[in-house]
Amino acid sequence: MSFPTAFITSFLQQSPQVFFVYEVQSQRVSYVSAAYEELLQGHCERVNEELPGLLARIHPDDYEHALDCWQRWRGGQLREPFELRLRTPEGLVQHLSITPHWLAGPDGDQVGGLLEDISATKTALWHADKYNTKKNTTLEILSHELAGPFSVLQQMSDYFHEAVAPLQDAALTTAIDHMRDLCRDSIGLIRDFVDHEFLDSVNVVLRRERIELVEKLRLLITQYQTGSRYTDKHFGFEAEGVPIFVEMDQNKFMQVMNNLMSNAIKFTPDGGTITLRVVATASHALITVADTGIGIPVALQAGLFEKFTKARRPGLRGERSTGLGMSIIKAIIELHEGSISFQSTEGKGTTFLIELPLAG
């Protein structure tokens, strides 16, 4: 069954999305729907005259990405939707989603598809991601701040237990045991609350999108710098002055970064420094998390990324470890076609290195 031509024409003309057809051989737009005039502030009858100006509005950081998509599109190799940013005449940024289609015909190839303004959605997601990053960072900082006193009290209770043993006071011994158990359970509750979302992350399908990495990591380190008075650590950030784009599930990746930052805090003495760096190589983004902490003993390094690794150990304030964190970090990084490694010297600190493929 096929729809009447009049119905299809009416649907295309009333849709808020732009439908278009481009003739590759003649390099001309042969059809564009009415939504073009509102969405891109153009005129349907002059679309071919306006096309060079429209292309000139592609955001400079997206130009190489747009060129790569076009080459694959016109060759019939691009099927999945992709996103681009345009600069509006008013100086704003407009986010567009393009669903491509390609058709080979006797008179030459045609490319076309659907173009949709997703600016409102991207803005909402940006605010949600910003809130999520702040929430996760705050939880990590607070977990260390809250667990620290409990760890000290637990250590003190062990001392009290030995000190009062000669008194043979059953009531006093029971009270001290209760204090020790309460501290241990409270520390476990705090870490369970913080770890729950991270431990589930590896079991969920990635929702990958093209992300500017420097902006995301700068936002992350800013949250730690804001909370540095609670951790008594110094946080630094180093990055190149150019944007670095990668394809990633930003929620899961930021959980990875929060976990690495959390580990650095756990094993760095008060007054120490934790530095986050990001640079671009020819084909990868290189992210490093370096601390001036106690380092990882040589005997524990080989199995660091194994599940329930023997390398797990309590933090300097007695923070517990399940031994699962590093294995999940490695799994999430590998789902992004990336890799993770580390360098560590006892008494001098540890540096974790993550490589992720650059976006096309």
Side-chain angles (χ1 to χ4, degrees), residues 223-241:
Q223 300 300 330
Y224 280 100
Q225 289 169 337
T226 301
S228 61
R229 64 183 181 275
Y230 298 112
T231 60
D232 198 17
K233 309 289 188 295
H234 304 289
F235 297 93
F237 182 65
E238 299 176 9
E240 295 179 334

Side-chain angles (χ1 to χ4, degrees), residues 18 33-44 46-47 50 53-54 57 86-94 96 115 117 119:
V18 177
S33 63
Y36 167 76
E37 301 198 352
E38 180 175 353
L39 196 149
L40 295 172
Q41 297 85 49
H43 303 83
C44 290
R46 298 205 300 267
V47 61
E50 296 168 350
L54 185 63
R57 286 166 47 192
L86 294 186
R87 295 175 298 183
T88 69
E90 296 77 23
L92 303 176
V93 174
Q94 186 177 24
L96 302 176
L115 188 150
D117 189 326
S119 299

Side-chain angles (χ1 to χ4, degrees), residues 40-78:
L40 295 172
Q41 297 85 49
H43 303 83
C44 290
E45 68 278 4
R46 298 205 300 267
V47 61
N48 285 292
E49 301 169 30
E50 296 168 350
L51 187 57
L54 185 63
L55 296 177
R57 286 166 47 192
I58 294 176
H59 195 286
D61 293 340
D62 289 357
Y63 183 78
E64 292 296 330
H65 174 58
L67 185 60
D68 174 70
C69 289
W70 171 243
Q71 295 297 339
R72 291 188 289 133
W73 189 359
R74 65 179 296 178
Q77 301 170 343
L78 182 63

Side-chain angles (χ1 to χ4, degrees), residues 32-259:
V32 66
S33 63
Y36 167 76
E37 301 198 352
E38 180 175 353
L39 196 149
L40 295 172
Q41 297 85 49
H43 303 83
C44 290
E45 68 278 4
R46 298 205 300 267
V47 61
N48 285 292
E49 301 169 30
E50 296 168 350
L51 187 57
L54 185 63
L55 296 177
R57 286 166 47 192
I58 294 176
H59 195 286
D61 293 340
D62 289 357
Y63 183 78
E64 292 296 330
H65 174 58
L67 185 60
D68 174 70
C69 289
W70 171 243
Q71 295 297 339
R72 291 188 289 133
W73 189 359
R74 65 179 296 178
Q77 301 170 343
L78 182 63
R79 304 294 184 185
E80 67 278 5
F82 63 95
E83 296 179 9
L84 286 179
R85 291 174 294 172
L86 294 186
R87 295 175 298 183
T88 69
E90 296 77 23
L92 303 176
V93 174
Q94 186 177 24
H95 293 263
L96 302 176
S97 174
I98 303 171
T99 303
H101 186 66
W102 173 83
L103 179 66
D107 298 324
D109 296 343
Q110 293 179 322
V111 298
L114 168 67
L115 188 150
E116 182 178 9
D117 189 326
I118 57 171
S119 299
T121 300
K122 298 296 286 188
T123 299
L125 287 174
W126 184 86
H127 285 291
D129 291 335
K130 181 178 180 180
Y131 171 79
N132 193 55
T133 297
K134 183 175 182 179
K135 179 262 294 180
N136 287 337
T137 304
T138 302
L139 284 177
E140 288 291 353
I141 292 172
L142 288 179
S143 72
H144 290 283
E145 182 64 15
L146 292 173
F150 282 118
S151 297
V152 173
L153 288 174
Q154 186 175 9
Q155 293 168 6
M156 291 174 63
S157 68
D158 292 336
Y159 169 77
F160 293 155
H161 192 277
E162 295 179 3
V164 303
L167 300 178
Q168 296 183 345
D169 187 326
L172 184 57
T173 301
T174 300
I176 293 173
D177 288 342
H178 179 67
M179 182 175 72
R180 181 170 52 188
D181 293 342
L182 180 62
C183 290
R184 184 191 63 242
D185 293 343
S186 297
I187 294 169
L189 180 63
I190 292 168
R191 286 314 311 172
D192 284 343
F193 181 72
V194 175
D195 289 344
H196 178 73
E197 184 176 356
F198 181 67
L199 292 174
D200 286 342
S201 295
V202 74
N203 299 317
V204 182
V205 176
L206 296 184
R207 184 179 66 86
R208 299 178 67 167
E209 55 184 321
R210 189 169 181 264
I211 297 297
E212 205 288 286
L213 191 57
V214 175
E215 175 191 357
K216 292 296 177 185
L217 295 181
R218 192 187 305 278
L219 175 63
L220 175 73
I221 205 68
T222 297
Q223 300 300 330
Y224 280 100
Q225 289 169 337
T226 301
S228 61
R229 64 183 181 275
Y230 298 112
T231 60
D232 198 17
K233 309 289 188 295
H234 304 289
F235 297 93
F237 182 65
E238 299 176 9
E240 295 179 334
V242 296
I244 300 174
F245 289 92
V246 296
E247 296 275 351
M248 70 179 185
D249 184 317
Q250 57 181 317
N251 287 332
K252 292 180 180 55
F253 183 75
M254 296 311 287
Q255 286 175 329
V256 164
M257 296 307 302
N258 267 308
N259 196 271

